[in-house]
Amino acid sequence: MNTPLPPADELALIDRELGQLDTRRLYLLARRDWLLRQPAPLVWGAPAAAAALGRPKEASAPGAQNLLLTLGAVLLAVAALAFTLISWGSLGIGGRSAVLAVVTAAALVTPAPLLRRGLRSTAESVAAVGLLLTVLDAYALFAVGIPAADADAATAYAAGAAAVLAAAWAGYGRALPALRIPIPAALLTAQLPLPLAALAADAGPAELGWALLATAALDLALAASAPARWPARAAWIPAAALGAGALLIGLSESAVAASAADAAAPAALLAAVAALGVAAAWRIPGAWPAATAGGLAAVAALGGTARPELAPGWAVVTHLALALPLLAAVRVTALPEPVRLGLARAGAGIAGLAALWGCAAAVTALAARLRVLDSVWASTPPAAGVPLAQPGVAAPVALLLAAGAARWLSRVLPGRPEPAAAAVALGWGGLFTAPLPLGLPVAAVLAAQLAVTAAAGLLALRSPDRPTAIAAGAVALLGAGNVSLAALDGRAATFAVLGLLGAGCAAGAAYGPAPRWARSGAAALAVGYATALVVALSALTDLAAPWWALPVLAVPAAVTAAGPGLGAQRLAAEAAAGAAGLLALALACGDAPVLALALALAGVVCAGSAVRADRRALGWAAGVLFVAAAWVRLASAGVGTAEAYTLPVTLPALAVGFLRRRRDPAASSWTAYGPGLAVTLLPSLAAAWGDPHWPRPLLLGAAALGLTLAGAHHRLRAPLLLGGGTLAAVALHELAPYVVQVVDALPRWLPPALAGLLLLAVGATYEKRLRDARRLRSALGRLR
């Protein structure tokens, strides 16, 4: 048993061993650094293997393998094509057959042993070459057996060859299920026989459509019966493309049919497309687009036979009536979900297209009322009716049917707001345009449209559903504008319609339970209709149009007087009143004295509103309007003196600034007096520089001197700087002719010399100048 060392001896031993380890470590690090600096270090054993393994690989093994196999297959295919197309004629019939048979058989048999050895990629490449060789075999057989065939015979042979090849490739793929190429190749080739056979038989569009549809049916049958992981499961993709082609052929043929008998054949094709689409959606999960196409085809098949016997508008209504039952599919729980969704969407799509057609017809009819602007109040009362482009009864019927369908959907789908809003818009469009094609008197037409507009407005005020209320408000606004436009054809109609609509809007603004946005809109419209009534009343008088501005200003004056009594609708009403005031000013622009009077009255209205604490900002508008009124009046009187325009602004501004400084001694002189002084000094200075006479410069200079002295006395910055600057500018203006004379009398070299001397002097006394500038700035800073 070893005797433990004393602690002091053991500590010394540990320190000695640690020192040896440090020495060895330093040696190894130095040796490693030397080896790394060698140009070609010798690496042995495991380090060499590690270096070899660390080299980056530029291509993976599977990638290189696939590239080689692909290149090999391509080269073999090129060789086969060259042999078939170029060297074919150099061999006899026996040699040709023997070569092709041997090569094809070898290419088709070889993948089996390759698969057994696990060489799947190689087997795929060889199988691809074998499939290509079978195509070349078919071409060779055609070239030998039917050398002088025409185009139809060649097409028929291609159809038969495609069918044989598709069957052969499908069998080959079933025999070697590990290969992935044969089944998709067979599937693609199987799309050709029937369409090619139809083309070979010189079939028409309908027969070609049947060929496409039959091929699509075979594809769908294969897709529905194939195992889940079999490649043929994807046969629904070509089936969808071919079915869409058959559907388009049926629709185009049905659209050009001239009689019911001519439409029978396309209708049969469309009916078959409908049956196939529904069947596909029934069997294939998620295939609701097939059911949608089936629904569209069914409606086109039924409506297409009746279309040639109907007017275009009623043909749309017929298709819409046939499509509406498809919407009920959403409630038939016995149907699979893809079928229900597809049929319902087909019905909704057709209803939407019919609604768009009805809206286009209605918009065309309503837009025709713009012609009334060419001859306002042409008849009193209008005798012939409102000038309209008649859309026919079919357009309102289509809109009402679509509105009913949208309303039904809003109940069936309560979580979606779109159907209810669409029902309101479409229903309004149908009811609003319904009186137009019926030949009713103008009064009856306007009364019916006013009633429909009032109903839409009431719905906007009372509907708890916001999207529905917004839609109702939008169509009510559109209807009110259109009826108002139509009423301009007669004086009595104008006053009746404008008065009723204005009263209705005022009642809507006062309807308490309505949403705030609806009441605000009604208030703005009420002010607008009041303005329109005032303009119409003014037009009855013999006054010129500029004088109409004065009664129009009564509308904003009334709104201002009502003020807080308008409640939450006050802002909207005041905005509309502001628009009425702008209209008044626009009307008065043709006569300067009337414009001045209108500006003054508008200023009075703004000043009256600015009396209230929450409308103080309108005081600025009132001041601007008063100033503009004075200037317009002076200009109309032929006054050309600038001070006549500026002094009436300066004096009140200085008075207001004086009162402001009395209430707030800390207010700056720029805030109190700067604007008022600048309004007169700057325009007068500009006028003085262009004035060849002496009175204006003298008076302006005297006023500027007085302002400068007053500013220095009261220590106010604004009068001091504005007055001093103006005084200096006036002095420069007066001395300018003499300076010019002196400069002309001096030698040309003297001004540069003087400028150089000045720069030297300034540079020599630069520090003193800076100190003087700081003192001046401090002195100005102490001013108020």
Side-chain angles (χ1 to χ4, degrees):
M1 183 173 180
N2 295 329
T3 303
L5 296 176
D9 295 338
E10 185 176 2
L11 181 62
L13 178 62
I14 291 173
D15 290 337
R16 187 166 54 254
E17 290 180 356
L18 288 176
Q20 293 175 354
L21 288 175
D22 290 338
T23 302
R24 182 63 179 171
R25 182 174 182 274
L26 291 175
Y27 169 77
L28 292 176
L29 289 174
R31 184 65 180 172
R32 178 179 182 276
D33 183 69
W34 180 83
L35 290 174
L36 291 175
R37 288 197 302 270
Q38 298 307 308
L42 297 177
V43 184
W44 300 89
L53 292 175
R55 295 190 185 113
K57 302 295 188 300
E58 296 184 0
S60 63
Q65 169 189 313
N66 293 334
L67 177 61
L68 294 176
L69 293 176
T70 303
L71 288 175
V74 170
L75 291 176
L76 287 176
V78 171
L81 288 172
F83 170 75
T84 304
L85 300 177
I86 300 174
S87 301
W88 182 257
S90 62
L91 297 176
I93 186 64
R96 300 171 188 174
S97 303
V99 170
L100 277 178
V102 170
V103 174
T104 303
L108 294 176
V109 172
T110 302
L114 291 176
L115 290 173
R116 286 195 297 269
R117 294 174 178 270
L119 302 176
R120 181 174 178 177
S121 298
T122 306
E124 293 281 2
S125 300
V126 176
V129 175
L131 298 181
L132 176 62
L133 289 174
T134 58
V135 177
L136 297 179
D137 288 340
Y139 169 75
L141 182 61
F142 173 76
V144 173
I146 318 175
D150 57 2
D152 291 339
T155 305
Y157 178 81
V164 173
L165 289 176
W169 291 352
Y172 185 66
R174 294 297 296 271
L176 297 176
L179 295 177
R180 291 175 291 184
I181 293 179
I183 296 300
L187 181 62
L188 292 177
T189 307
Q191 312 305 313
L192 301 177
L194 291 179
L196 288 177
L199 292 176
D202 293 330
E207 289 76 10
L208 180 59
W210 280 107
L212 295 177
L213 185 62
T215 306
L218 294 176
D219 291 335
L220 287 175
L222 180 62
S225 60
R229 294 192 176 185
W230 203 42
R233 187 75 174 177
W236 65 269
I237 298 176
L242 295 177
L247 176 61
L248 292 177
I249 290 175
L251 292 175
S252 61
E253 289 297 304
S254 179
V256 299
S259 64
D262 294 339
L269 176 60
L270 291 172
V273 172
L276 184 61
V278 173
W282 202 296
R283 293 296 305 272
I284 301 176
W288 63 264
T292 301
L296 294 174
V299 172
L302 295 175
T305 55
R307 183 198 58 79
E309 310 300 330
L310 298 173
W314 288 109
V316 174
V317 174
T318 300
H319 283 80
L320 176 59
L322 293 172
L324 292 182
L326 296 178
L327 296 174
V330 297
R331 302 293 298 270
V332 183
T333 57
L335 296 176
E337 184 178 359
V339 177
R340 290 191 288 113
L341 283 178
L343 293 179
R345 288 175 177 174
I350 295 175
L353 292 176
L356 287 178
W357 172 82
C359 289
V363 168
T364 302
L366 298 178
R369 283 178 164 165
L370 292 173
R371 293 200 299 264
V372 77
L373 295 177
D374 295 335
S375 55
V376 177
W377 289 358
S379 58
T380 310
V386 182
L388 290 174
Q390 304 294 343
V393 182
V397 171
L399 290 174
L400 292 176
L401 285 176
R407 179 58 180 166
W408 182 81
L409 282 178
S410 67
R411 293 187 176 184
V412 175
L413 306 173
R416 301 297 298 270
E418 298 89 352
V424 171
L426 295 174
W428 171 85
L431 294 175
F432 194 83
T433 56
L436 300 181
L438 298 180
L440 300 176
V442 174
V445 172
L446 295 181
Q449 292 181 336
L450 280 174
V452 175
T453 301
L458 185 61
L459 181 61
L461 294 173
R462 302 189 62 178
S463 176
D465 183 38
R466 185 176 178 85
T468 302
I470 292 176
V475 297
L477 180 61
L478 180 61
N482 197 264
V483 174
S484 302
L485 189 64
L488 294 178
D489 193 56
R491 297 184 181 182
T494 299
F495 288 105
V497 170
L498 295 182
L500 290 174
L501 288 175
C505 292
Y511 183 66
R516 181 175 178 178
W517 64 268
R519 297 177 62 193
S520 298
L525 287 175
V527 174
Y529 276 112
T531 305
L533 275 174
V534 172
V535 173
L537 289 171
S538 300
L540 289 176
T541 66
D542 295 331
L543 295 175
W547 287 98
W548 298 359
L550 304 183
V552 169
L553 286 173
V555 175
V559 174
T560 300
L566 298 175
Q569 292 72 48
R570 180 183 179 187
L571 183 60
E574 289 180 343
L582 293 177
L583 174 63
L585 297 180
L587 290 172
C589 285
D591 192 326
V594 177
L595 177 60
L597 181 58
L599 287 169
L601 292 176
V604 171
V605 173
C606 290
S609 182
V611 172
R612 299 186 175 93
D614 55 346
R615 294 293 185 266
R616 296 296 190 202
L618 290 176
W620 294 98
V624 171
L625 289 171
F626 285 136
V627 171
W631 289 358
V632 170
R633 190 68 185 88
L634 290 171
S636 66
V639 177
T641 304
E643 289 75 13
Y645 298 89
T646 58
L647 284 177
V649 179
T650 294
L651 297 178
L654 293 178
V656 172
F658 178 74
L659 296 176
R660 168 72 184 277
R661 294 233 344 139
R662 291 193 62 180
R663 290 197 308 267
D664 183 14
S668 170
S669 63
W670 284 112
T671 303
Y673 304 123
L677 294 175
V679 166
T680 290
L681 292 178
L682 298 182
S684 297
L685 181 61
W689 270 81
D691 192 349
H693 305 289
W694 60 268
R696 175 179 277 115
L698 178 61
L699 295 176
L700 180 60
L705 178 61
L707 284 175
T708 304
L709 295 176
H713 177 71
H714 296 285
R715 303 183 64 186
L716 298 176
R717 187 181 304 176
L720 178 61
L721 294 182
L722 288 175
T726 304
L727 183 61
V730 171
L732 180 62
H733 171 265
E734 294 302 314
L735 292 177
Y738 304 103
V739 172
V740 170
Q741 293 178 3
V742 172
V743 170
D744 289 341
L746 293 176
R748 295 296 180 89
W749 56 265
L750 186 58
L754 294 176
L757 291 175
L758 177 63
L759 292 176
L760 289 176
V762 170
T765 59
Y766 184 72
E767 183 176 2
K768 183 176 182 300
R769 301 299 179 187
L770 289 179
R771 185 171 63 251
D772 294 341
R774 284 194 292 269
R775 289 176 179 176
L776 177 60
R777 185 180 62 184
S778 300
L780 291 175
R782 288 192 296 270
L783 299 179
R784 289 173 291 174

